[in-house]
Every structure is written in structure tokens, then in C-alpha cells.
Amino acid sequence: MALSRRLPDANPDTIKEQVASLIPALRAFARTFTVNPTDGDDLVQETLVRALRSLNSFQTGTSLKSWLFTIMRNTYCTQYRKRVRESPGATDCVSLQLVAAAGQEWSVAESEVKAALSRLSEDQQQILIMVAGFGFSYEEAASVMDCAIGTVKSRLNRAREALAQEMGGNPLR
């Protein structure tokens, strides 16, 4: 069986349990790609289907979280290219607007941070979420983003400065 040959130290059921335990992190990461939570859940589902289908290609000793995030990023890029080609309808549909805004201060602050994040480039959003949000190491982020560690560091620095600027503050210099 190919699965047991590629994963000699790991029981496939254990790996599946570890994948299941990472679903909340996958859902949070999916929200960096999508506006609509339903689309984010669809992205997570597609990521899990692809991951479980190719579980035999997972290398024991590597980061399962990074592997799943890479699958999600690649899945999103594939879906994005397909959407751009097809462009089925308006993204600013009235049905996507909230009926009443939340009144709590934390909700307002969250909206401000989300708005500031949305004005950043996609690479800046992703690197901030991975490193600052999920605590990825530079090496893990470099693996997911398919770039050098130095690139991760410079992107993160520029993203932090851009976010501070978007939030109305001054960059940390």
C-alpha cells in the first residue's frame, strides 16, 4: 500500500485526525482569500478533499499545516483564474450587504482592521495572516509562499508598515 510506504511512522487515521484539528486554522486562512464566509467554507472543503486525496504525497517530518495551507493557496489560485475567465456576476450584490451593522466597539475595530487589510496587496495580506495571525515561522511561510526566507521577511516588514499606514498610524521607523 503506497500510503504506508510513504508514511512509515504515521498511522493514516492519526494524520486524518491532525488534518481535522487544523480545520479552524484553514477556515481562518480561507477568509483572507474570500469575502463571503460561504465561499471560504467551500475553499476549505475543496482543500480538504484535495489533501485527503493526495495524503500519500505528504512527507512525514514536514509541517502538515504548511502542506495544507499550500494546497489551499494553490486551490484558490486555480479557482481565481477560473472565475476571472468566467466572471458569472456582480460581486457587490445587494444580498451580500448586512441589514444592520453591529453596535459593539470590537466589531467596529474588527471592521477597520479588515478594511485596512483588504487594501493591502494579496501577498501582504497572506504573509501577515500566516506569520502574525497563525504564528508561522519564516521557513514555514517561505514554503507556503514558495519564495526565499529573505523575501518573507521583507514582505512582512512592508506589510506591517502598510497596515500601520492604512490604520492611520505611522510606520514603525
Side-chain angles (χ1 to χ4, degrees):
M1 181 174 167
L3 186 60
S4 60
R5 187 180 42 160
R6 296 289 294 214
L7 301 170
D9 302 349
N11 179 346
D13 292 331
T14 304
I15 298 290
K16 288 177 186 177
E17 288 174 15
Q18 291 173 354
V19 168
S21 72
L22 291 171
I23 290 174
L26 288 170
R27 290 185 76 206
F29 190 52
R31 289 189 182 137
T32 66
F33 294 109
T34 62
V35 176
N36 185 342
T38 304
D39 292 340
D41 289 342
D42 290 344
L43 180 58
V44 170
Q45 182 177 359
E46 182 63 25
T47 299
L48 292 172
V49 167
R50 289 180 184 205
L52 292 175
R53 187 180 317 136
S54 60
L55 193 58
N56 62 341
S57 68
F58 176 70
Q59 299 290 325
T60 303
T62 61
S63 172
L64 180 62
K65 190 175 190 181
S66 294
W67 184 69
L68 290 170
F69 276 41
T70 302
I71 291 172
M72 178 176 286
R73 184 171 188 269
N74 293 340
T75 300
Y76 173 77
C77 290
T78 301
Q79 290 176 350
Y80 178 79
R81 284 190 295 272
K82 184 177 178 183
R83 268 195 317 274
V84 167
R85 245 187 353 259
E86 296 174 358
S87 59
T91 57
D92 58 349
C93 180
V94 171
S95 68
L96 297 177
Q97 297 175 0
L98 293 176
V99 175
Q104 297 86 0
E105 284 185 32
W106 59 266
S107 180
V108 173
E110 178 186 22
S111 297
E112 290 173 356
V113 171
K114 281 183 177 179
L117 271 171
S118 72
R119 291 188 296 268
L120 299 179
S121 72
E122 188 175 314
D123 283 342
Q124 288 177 332
Q125 290 176 22
Q126 290 176 1
I127 199 68
L128 274 172
I129 297 299
M130 279 192 280
V131 176
F134 292 120
F136 271 43
S137 68
Y138 292 144
E139 293 83 11
E140 290 173 325
S143 173
V144 171
M145 300 292 288
D146 194 28
C147 63
I149 293 173
T151 303
V152 168
K153 291 178 181 180
S154 64
R155 283 182 186 173
L156 183 60
N157 186 45
R158 286 192 306 269
R160 286 177 174 156
E161 288 179 3
L163 185 61
Q165 194 75 21
E166 288 294 330
M167 294 295 297
N170 294 323
L172 303 172
R173 287 224 183 233

